[in-house]
């Protein structure tokens, strides 16, 4: 115990033992460390060497650490467990892979179902929106009907009068005959259509005495008139032609009276009969004056005051061009306004008023007395004084150089031949017409002949004698085309004529030309005017004007139309409804049975165009102007308040006075199928498009395998009878909208441009609204008009290859405009757009409207058009000069006005104003 303690205490005890102990301890530690080092270093090296060399032995059985086969390993129990786990995991992985593939397949199927559901939802939304629009339109129509506070009526059953009408007592005097007591309205219901029965003059003895030319012209006119019927039992009016008769074989008045009373439908008093006595010469006699005509109306050029019944009888113009059309090239132009002579007159009085009355009184005594005063002597003296003063060039001759024409007593007879008189009138600004001295002669064939010749050559008539009854005076405002001056003012005539401005002179001359072309020039115009006057008096609407039947060319459609990014890239701009709004035709006109009586004077006089068959103007804001005119046309009347609003609301609605409206595209093409298909595809998605009418102008039909695009609206391919540019403006019955967008098959317009043009046209429905502008210019060296397409700050035309216009003008272009213009268009295969601009400017006296800054609209890469031919512009020069001759003046008007969209496509917040302005 003690020794041990000593060792622990540092070896204090025996003297030599501590250091031996310390040394031995150190040796043991060193050896132990070395041994551990050898074991840790060399033993792994030896083991590694042994393991790597022993496996190289040839005897496979002697391998100890080499790899063994699977069976050998599996013999070991824990290795077998691992194998089973591996096989189980492998099977589970295969099952999971199969399930993964199955799930992927199901996911793909579900994605397809999701896409199909999305499409179904979109289609359902479109159908729902369309149904909402239909319901909205139905509600709107219902509200309109309720607002009218009128039940919807059907046409009444036609009542036919008995064959033997009950006789009515004649008025005390035939002089008192008027419509209310001498006309049987029961034969003319409002819905009758105004049927007219015309007797065949050859069936009666007096027919052999008729002038052959008048008879032939009358029969030709009757064959083409829409009101003439062969069924006399349903006729409203019966017409018999009794003149002009040839002098040698003229029947006696008593014989003619007996023959008239023996007409099969005369019915004792001749009610609802019209006796027509046309005059081709100025010396036509008034042989009906001594004949009892009962309740029959009389239409002729000569009337005595005791014979004429205002509002019942009709003063007609002479039938000068019986079987020939007037030659427009021989008619002098309306400019210059002032001509060589201020006024002219040639005539000779066969019998004076004093000699006819067998009275000799002074001028003053005649004024104070009851007998009519003979102012002719004062007129002769005053006119000779004006001529002798030489203040103005005037020509007055009161004695004929040759034998004067036969005339009635106190009437101024015509001098010379018709061609000589016309040459003098072409040099005269005014033409004096002195009425007969006998005021009991309210009109004579000589006066109507002077009026006819003056209007024909553009000499403004100056009628001396306010008691005169000019042709069709109850429906024509003669003061717009002639001066009617009382004879006592003869001393003031010179001053009055000098005081009229050039603008007023040109307006009167233009109106006179319109009256002559419309009511005087041909036998068809005269007969149609007489019927129109009677129809207007008894308030029966005119027959619907003819529409051009569209013969459709069968074609296959179904090709999905692509979307041209240049056409439809509108960003967030909503141009309007697309395909959600069903085709909506312009509303039908509802004033058919009241318009005739309400607007009589405005209809017959307000427009410089032939409207005697359709009594209203194309630019009246409350009158119809489409399709069936008085049958079932459409109107400019407001049908609702504006709904445009601002911002987004403005984009989504048309607004204005007619918020529900669409337009029809009319596209003319000729054997350019690829270009046509591309143009049609560009219309895909165009808002407010009702349908597309493709006018196939080629005799060769489209390819049978041609697949037409489906653009969401009907495409009507119309076959034409011949290759004519006039087919562009035919009033096809398939066009059910007032607005027409005439467009070429190679025109390239964006949707926003088209919509902007449509909005502008709706604010100016009487104008042509288009994109490319052109103008006319006067060629001073050659003294002629030129067509110019250069860039300019003013214009007078817009090309109808990309323009909006009203369907009303399609009727006027095709059926009313002079045929000579359409013939020239066919001859040159050119100028149809110029002709339409001439027509609209002539009617409205307004220039067209150009929208946007476009000067061309051709698509890039399209085949060359006719306009690229060198002769194209030369032909257009000739067209303009020819059209000026036909119209008699230059109707085109210059304008520096252009409409541009300022904010129409500007990206602004929806709560801000987004609209367009006119500049």
């Amino acid at each position: 115990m003690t020794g041990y303690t000593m060792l622990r205490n540092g070896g204090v005890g025996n003297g030599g033992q501590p250091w031996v102990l310390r040394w031995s301890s150190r040796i043991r530690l060193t050896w132990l460390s070395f041994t551990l080092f050898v074991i840790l270093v060399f033993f792994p090296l030896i083991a590694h060497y042994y393991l790597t060399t022993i496996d190289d032995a040839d005897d496979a059985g002697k391998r100890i650490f080499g790899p063994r086969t699977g069976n050998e390993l599996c013999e070991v129990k824990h290795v077998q467990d691992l194998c089973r786990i591996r096989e189980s995991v492998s099977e589970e992985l295969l099952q999971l892979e199969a399930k993964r593939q199955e799930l992927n397949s199901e996911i793909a199927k579900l994605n397809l179902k999701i896409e199909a559901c999305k499409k179904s939802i979109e289609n359902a939304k479109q159908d729902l929106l369309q149904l909402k629009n239909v319901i909205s339109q139905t509600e709107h129509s219902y509200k309109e009907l309720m607002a009218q506070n009128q039940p919807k009526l059907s046409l009444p059953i036609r009542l036919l009068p008995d064959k033997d009408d009950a006789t009515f007592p004649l008025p005390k005097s035939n002089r008192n005959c008027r419509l209310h007591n001498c006309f049987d309205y029961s034969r003319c219901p409002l819905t009758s259509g105004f049927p007219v029965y015309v007797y065949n003059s050859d069936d009666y003895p007096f027919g052999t005495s008729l002038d052959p030319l008048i008879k032939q012209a009358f029969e030709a006119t009757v064959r083409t008139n829409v009101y003439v019927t062969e069924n006399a039992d349903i006729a409203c009016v019966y017409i018999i032609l009794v003149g002009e008769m040839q002098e040698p074989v003229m029947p006696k008045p008593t014989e003619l009276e007996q023959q008239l009373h023996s007409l099969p439908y005369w019915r004792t008093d001749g009610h609802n009969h019209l006796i027509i006595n046309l005059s081709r010469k100025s010396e036509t006699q008034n042989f009906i004056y001594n004949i009892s005509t009962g309740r029959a109306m009389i239409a002729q050029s000569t009337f005595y005051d005791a014979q004429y019944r205002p509002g019942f009888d009709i003063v007609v113009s002479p039938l000068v061009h019986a079987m020939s059309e007037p030659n427009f090239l021989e008619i002098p132009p309306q400019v210059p306004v002032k001509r060589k002579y201020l006024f002219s007159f040639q005539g000779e009085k066969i019998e004076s008023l004093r000699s006819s009355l067998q009275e000799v009184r002074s001028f003053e005594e005649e004024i104070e007395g009851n007998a009519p005063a003979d102012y002719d002597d004062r007129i002769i003296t005053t006119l000779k004084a004006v001529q002798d003063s030489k203040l103005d060039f005037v020509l007055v001759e009161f004695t004929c150089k040759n034998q004067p024409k036969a005339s009635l007593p106190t009437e101024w007879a015509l001098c010379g031949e018709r061609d000589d008189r016309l040459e003098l009138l072409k040099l005269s600004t005014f033409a004096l017409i002195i009425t007969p001295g006998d005021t009991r002669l309210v009109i004579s064939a000589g006066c109507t002949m002077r009026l006819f010749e003056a209007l024909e050559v553009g000499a403004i008539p100056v009628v001396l004698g306010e008691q005169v009854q000019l042709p069709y005076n109850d429906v024509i405002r003669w003061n717009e085309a002639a001066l009617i001056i009382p004879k006592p003012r003869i001393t003031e005539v010179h001053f009055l004529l000098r005081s009229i401005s050039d603008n007023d002179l040109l307006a009167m001359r233009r109106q006179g030309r319109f009256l002559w072309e419309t009511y005087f020039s041909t036998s068809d115009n005269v007969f149609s005017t007489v019927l129109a006057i009677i129809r207007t008096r008894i308030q029966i609407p005119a027959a619907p004007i003819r529409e051009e039947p569209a013969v459709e060319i069968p074609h296959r459609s179904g090709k999905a139309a692509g979307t041209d990014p240049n056409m439809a890239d509108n960003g967030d701009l909503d141009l309007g409804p697309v395909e959600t709004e069903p085709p909506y035709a312009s509303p039908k006109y509802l004033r058919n049975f009241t318009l005739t009586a309400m607007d009589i004077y405005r209809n017959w006089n307000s427009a410089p165009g032939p409207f005697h068959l359709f009594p209203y103007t194309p630019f009246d804001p409350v009158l119809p102007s489409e399709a069936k005119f008085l049958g079932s046309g459409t109107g400019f009347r407001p049908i609702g308040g504006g709904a445009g609003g601002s911002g987004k609301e403005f984009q989504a609605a048309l607004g204005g006075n007619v918020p529900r409206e669409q337009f029809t595209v009319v596209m003319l093409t000729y054997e350019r199928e690829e270009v046509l298909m591309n143009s049609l595809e560009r219309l895909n998605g165009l808002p407010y498009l009702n349908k597309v009418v493709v006018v196939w102008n080629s005799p060769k039909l489209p390819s049978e395998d041609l697949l037409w695009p489906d653009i969401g609206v009907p495409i009507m391919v119309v076959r034409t009878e011949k290759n004519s540019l006039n087919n562009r403006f035919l009033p096809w019955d398939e066009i059910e909208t007032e607005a027409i967008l005439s467009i070429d098959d190679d025109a390239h317009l964006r949707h926003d441009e088209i919509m902007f043009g449509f909005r502008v046209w709706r604010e100016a429905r009487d104008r042509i609204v288009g994109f490319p502008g052109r103008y006319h210019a006067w060629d001073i060296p050659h003294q002629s008009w030129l067509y110019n397409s250069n860039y300019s700050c003013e214009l007078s035309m817009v090309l109808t290859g990309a323009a909006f216009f009203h369907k009303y003008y399609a009727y006027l272009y095709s059926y009313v405009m002079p045929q000579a213009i359409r013939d020239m268009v066919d001859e040159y295969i050119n100028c149809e757009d110029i002709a339409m601009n001439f027509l609209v400017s002539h009617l409205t006296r307004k220039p067209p409207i150009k929208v946007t800054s476009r000067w061309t609209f051709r698509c890039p890469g399209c085949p060359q058009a006719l306009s690229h031919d060198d002769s194209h512009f030369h032909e257009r020069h000739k067209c303009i000069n020819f059209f000026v001759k036909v119209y008699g003046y230059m109707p085109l008007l210059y304008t520096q006005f252009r409409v541009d969209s300022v904010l129409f496509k500007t990206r602004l917040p929806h709560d801000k104003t987004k609209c367009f302005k006119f500049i």
Side-chain angles (χ1 to χ4, degrees):
M1 181 73 179
T2 304
Y4 178 73
T5 304
M6 291 177 64
L7 289 173
R8 295 184 58 189
N9 291 332
V12 179
N14 299 325
Q17 293 180 351
W19 66 269
V20 175
L21 293 173
R22 288 194 296 270
W23 181 80
S24 60
S25 298
R26 291 176 179 172
I27 292 175
R28 287 194 297 269
L29 291 172
T30 303
W31 175 251
L32 180 62
S33 299
F34 177 79
T35 305
L36 291 173
F37 174 78
V38 171
I39 293 171
L40 293 175
V41 173
F42 289 97
F43 183 77
L45 294 175
I46 296 171
H48 179 267
Y49 173 78
Y50 180 79
L51 292 175
T52 55
T53 56
I54 198 172
D55 290 337
D56 295 335
D58 297 333
D59 190 359
K62 295 180 180 181
R63 296 180 192 176
I64 300 175
F65 301 100
R68 298 178 181 273
T69 63
N71 294 332
E72 295 175 347
L73 293 175
C74 290
E75 292 177 356
V76 185
K77 184 176 182 179
H78 68 279
V79 176
Q80 292 178 353
D81 293 339
L82 292 176
C83 291
R84 286 194 299 269
I85 293 173
R86 187 187 66 175
E87 292 176 357
S88 175
V89 171
S90 299
E91 291 178 0
E92 290 180 359
L93 290 176
L94 292 175
Q95 293 175 0
L96 290 176
E97 179 65 21
K99 289 183 179 180
R100 188 184 67 83
Q101 294 179 357
E102 183 178 356
L103 289 175
N104 288 337
S105 177
E106 292 180 358
I107 291 173
K109 293 179 180 179
L110 290 176
N111 287 333
L112 293 177
K113 290 182 179 181
I114 291 173
E115 294 296 329
C117 290
K118 288 181 178 180
K119 292 182 180 180
S120 300
I121 292 173
E122 292 295 329
N123 294 333
K125 288 181 179 180
Q126 297 291 340
D127 295 339
L128 179 60
L129 184 58
Q130 187 172 0
L131 289 176
K132 288 181 178 179
N133 289 332
V134 173
I135 293 173
S136 176
Q137 292 179 5
T138 306
E139 291 177 350
H140 188 81
S141 301
Y142 176 75
K143 290 179 180 179
E144 287 182 347
L145 293 176
M146 294 301 294
Q148 294 176 3
N149 196 22
Q150 293 179 351
K152 187 174 182 180
L153 301 177
S154 59
L155 295 178
I157 299 176
R158 177 69 186 275
L159 299 178
L160 300 179
D162 296 334
K163 186 174 182 180
D164 296 328
D165 295 339
T167 59
F168 300 95
L170 286 170
K172 295 181 179 179
S173 172
N174 290 341
R175 181 75 173 81
N176 299 326
C177 247
R178 299 295 185 272
L179 289 176
H180 69 276
N181 58 4
C182 289
F183 190 86
D184 184 8
Y185 281 90
S186 66
R187 301 195 64 89
C188 306
L190 290 175
T191 59
S192 63
F194 192 59
V196 175
Y197 179 79
V198 180
Y199 291 99
N200 187 1
S201 300
D202 293 334
D203 297 339
Y204 306 97
F206 63 83
T208 58
S209 303
L210 295 177
D211 185 303
L213 289 179
I214 289 184
K215 180 180 176 182
Q216 185 178 357
F218 182 79
E219 292 176 350
T221 299
V222 167
R223 285 193 296 267
T224 59
N225 194 275
V226 296
Y227 297 105
V228 175
T229 179
E230 296 181 357
N231 188 356
D233 295 333
I234 66 171
C236 170
V237 175
Y238 301 84
I239 296 179
I240 182 67
L241 178 67
V242 298
E244 178 178 65
M245 289 192 177
Q246 296 175 317
E247 293 289 343
V249 292
M250 181 183 299
K252 296 179 180 180
T254 55
E255 296 177 354
L256 181 59
E257 180 177 330
Q258 292 177 358
Q259 295 175 23
L260 290 177
H261 291 182
S262 63
L263 294 175
Y265 305 100
W266 186 261
R267 299 184 179 91
T268 70
D269 58 6
H271 61 272
N272 290 45
H273 274 66
L274 174 64
I275 301 175
I276 297 182
N277 179 22
L278 299 176
S279 59
R280 195 168 60 89
K281 301 184 293 291
S282 62
E283 57 268 23
T284 301
Q285 300 297 317
N286 184 13
F287 60 88
I288 302 181
Y289 180 71
N290 297 319
I291 295 177
S292 175
T293 56
R295 285 193 171 99
M297 296 174 285
I298 300 175
Q300 61 180 8
S301 300
T302 302
F303 279 102
Y304 284 99
D305 181 59
Q307 178 190 17
Y308 180 68
R309 297 162 293 186
F312 193 74
D313 295 327
I314 302 174
V315 180
V316 300
S317 61
L319 189 60
V320 177
H321 301 286
M323 291 302 297
S324 61
E325 295 288 334
N327 189 352
F328 292 100
L329 299 181
E330 296 180 356
I331 300 175
Q334 299 183 28
V335 290
V337 178
K338 299 292 181 62
R339 297 178 177 178
K340 178 180 180 180
Y341 298 111
L342 177 64
F343 61 84
S344 64
F345 176 81
Q346 285 181 328
E348 183 173 341
K349 201 174 205 179
I350 305 302
E351 185 178 358
S352 66
L353 177 61
R354 290 193 178 93
S355 63
S356 64
L357 296 177
Q358 296 181 355
E359 294 183 2
V360 179
R361 294 188 180 186
S362 65
F363 188 77
E364 291 76 10
E365 290 175 341
E366 290 174 349
I367 295 178
E368 296 176 356
N370 295 326
D374 188 0
Y375 292 100
D376 289 355
D377 293 340
R378 179 67 61 87
I379 292 173
I380 293 174
T381 303
T382 302
L383 295 181
K384 284 186 176 181
V386 174
Q387 184 179 24
D388 295 339
S389 67
K390 297 184 180 180
L391 296 175
D392 289 293
F393 286 105
V394 299
L395 192 151
V396 290
E397 295 178 354
F398 301 103
T399 303
C400 296
K401 298 178 181 179
N402 299 321
Q403 182 67 25
K405 305 294 182 181
S407 61
L408 297 174
T410 74
E411 182 186 16
W412 287 91
L414 293 172
C415 295
E417 300 298 328
R418 167 177 158 80
D419 293 340
D420 298 332
R421 298 194 300 269
L422 292 180
E423 290 300 322
L424 175 61
L425 292 174
K426 290 178 181 179
L427 302 176
S428 306
T429 305
F430 297 94
L432 295 184
I433 301 175
I434 305 176
T435 59
D438 188 355
T439 56
R440 296 172 298 181
L441 187 60
V442 295
I443 190 65
S444 64
C447 287
T448 57
M449 184 64 69
R450 290 181 182 272
L451 180 66
F452 180 95
E453 294 176 352
L455 295 177
E456 181 178 4
V457 296
I460 300 174
V462 179
V463 182
L464 297 179
E466 79 283 1
Q467 81 284 354
V468 69
Q469 299 290 335
L470 295 179
Y472 322 124
N473 62 331
D474 55 345
V475 293
I476 291 180
R477 291 177 180 172
W478 278 106
N479 58 353
E480 296 180 357
L483 295 174
I484 303 176
I485 304 174
K487 286 185 177 181
R489 295 190 180 276
I490 182 59
T491 57
E492 302 172 320
V493 168
H494 185 208
F495 165 78
L496 179 61
L497 300 184
R498 287 287 301 271
S499 64
I500 301 177
S501 65
D502 289 354
N503 289 336
D504 292 337
L505 287 177
L506 184 59
M508 296 180 69
R509 183 173 294 165
R510 185 165 53 242
Q511 182 68 8
R513 172 73 174 269
F514 149 66
L515 295 177
W516 179 80
E517 289 183 358
T518 307
Y519 310 123
F520 290 71
S521 58
T522 64
S523 59
D524 182 67
N525 290 344
V526 172
F527 184 68
S528 298
T529 302
V530 170
L531 294 185
I533 289 177
I534 299 176
R535 178 184 51 75
T536 303
R537 287 176 176 175
I538 62 179
Q539 303 178 10
I540 295 182
I545 192 170
R546 180 174 65 90
E547 288 194 300
E548 195 69 22
V551 180
E552 184 178 7
I553 299 176
H555 61 281
R556 292 190 305 155
S557 61
K559 174 185 176 183
T563 301
D564 189 339
N566 296 324
M567 298 294 103
D569 184 15
N570 301 305
D572 60 352
L573 183 62
D574 183 9
L575 297 178
V578 182
E579 297 185 17
T580 59
E581 185 176 8
Y584 175 73
S586 296
K588 299 300 180 181
Y589 189 67
L590 303 177
R591 293 182 59 206
N592 297 340
F593 299 105
T594 57
L595 174 69
T596 304
M598 293 175 59
D599 302 315
I600 176 173
Y601 276 104
R602 174 172 52 184
N603 301 332
W604 286 72
N605 300 275
S606 52
F611 296 110
H612 63 287
L613 294 182
F614 358 99
Y616 46 80
T617 68
F619 42 87
D620 195 309
V622 297
L623 296 181
S625 44
E626 194 243 304
K628 300 183 180 179
F629 287 100
L630 288 177
S632 58
T634 61
F636 291 159
R637 64 198 184 285
I639 62 174
S646 62
K648 185 176 182 180
E649 292 81 7
F650 177 83
Q651 300 173 8
L654 279 176
N657 295 323
V658 189
R660 300 164 62 203
E661 188 170 21
Q662 295 178 339
F663 62 91
T664 302
V665 168
V666 176
M667 185 178 295
L668 187 71
T669 186
Y670 186 90
E671 296 184 3
R672 297 201 295 181
E673 295 180 353
E674 182 179 357
V675 174
L676 175 63
M677 295 302 107
N678 293 334
S679 297
L680 291 176
E681 288 188 7
R682 285 194 292 269
L683 298 178
N684 184 33
L686 181 61
Y688 300 107
L689 179 59
N690 182 273
K691 69 173 62 172
V692 178
V693 177
V694 177
V695 181
W696 191 264
N697 222 22
S698 171
K700 180 181 177 182
L701 296 180
S703 303
E704 295 182 358
D705 57 348
L706 183 63
L707 191 61
W708 296 69
D710 182 6
I711 60 175
V713 297
I715 297 179
M716 174 71 66
V717 185
V718 178
R719 184 175 185 176
T720 58
E721 296 181 356
K722 64 176 182 178
N723 178 20
S724 172
L725 293 180
N726 293 315
N727 296 332
R728 178 195 298 274
F729 302 123
L730 285 173
W732 303 104
D733 55 4
E734 289 295 331
I735 302 176
E736 300 177 327
T737 60
E738 294 184 9
I740 295 177
L741 173 57
S742 174
I743 192 169
D744 287 343
D745 58 0
D746 58 355
H748 198 269
L749 296 174
R750 299 194 310 270
H751 286 187
D752 63 284
E753 292 176 319
I754 296 176
M755 285 309 305
F756 178 67
F758 182 46
R759 289 178 181 268
V760 174
W761 176 86
R762 297 177 73 251
E763 302 292 334
R765 308 172 74 88
D766 60 331
R767 315 272 283 273
I768 299 178
V769 177
F771 297 89
R774 301 292 185 265
Y775 67 97
H776 67 288
W778 179 250
D779 184 7
I780 297 178
H782 298 88
Q783 293 295 295
S784 62
W785 294 101
L786 296 178
Y787 171 85
N788 203 314
S789 63
N790 296 329
Y791 289 91
S792 173
C793 294
E794 61 181 3
L795 57 99
S796 59
M797 296 174 282
V798 293
L799 301 184
T800 56
F804 285 93
F805 63 90
H806 203 286
K807 188 180 179 181
Y808 183 85
Y809 296 124
Y811 294 96
L812 298 183
Y813 183 97
S814 302
Y815 303 140
V816 178
M817 188 180 68
Q819 181 63 37
I821 296 179
R822 294 190 293 272
D823 291 341
M824 190 165 195
V825 171
D826 288 337
E827 178 183 354
Y828 285 152
I829 316 180
N830 199 344
C831 308
E832 84 287 356
D833 49 356
I834 301 178
M836 177 59 81
N837 280 272
F838 265 69
L839 175 65
V840 177
S841 296
H842 171 63
L843 295 174
T844 62
R845 303 306 303 135
K846 298 177 184 178
I849 296 179
K850 172 177 170 52
V851 292
T852 75
S853 59
R854 272 184 175 268
W855 209 256
T856 182
F857 54 85
R858 302 295 180 188
C859 63
C862 290
Q864 197 173 35
L866 293 175
S867 58
H868 292 84
D869 192 356
D870 294 337
S871 62
H872 175 76
F873 286 94
H874 297 288
E875 293 172 350
R876 295 174 84 81
H877 299 329
K878 296 178 182 178
C879 288
I880 287 184
N881 288 279
F882 179 78
F883 296 165
V884 168
K885 291 182 180 180
V886 174
Y887 282 96
Y889 74 111
M890 169 54 75
L892 298 179
L893 299 174
Y894 292 107
T895 179
Q896 300 175 4
F897 178 80
R898 192 184 80 195
V899 183
D900 282 335
S901 56
V902 178
L903 297 177
F904 186 58
K905 290 194 66 178
T906 304
R907 301 295 188 265
L908 295 177
H910 291 318
D911 57 344
K912 303 295 184 181
T913 301
K914 184 181 291 187
C915 60
F916 60 82
K917 297 181 180 178
F918 296 159
I919 60 173

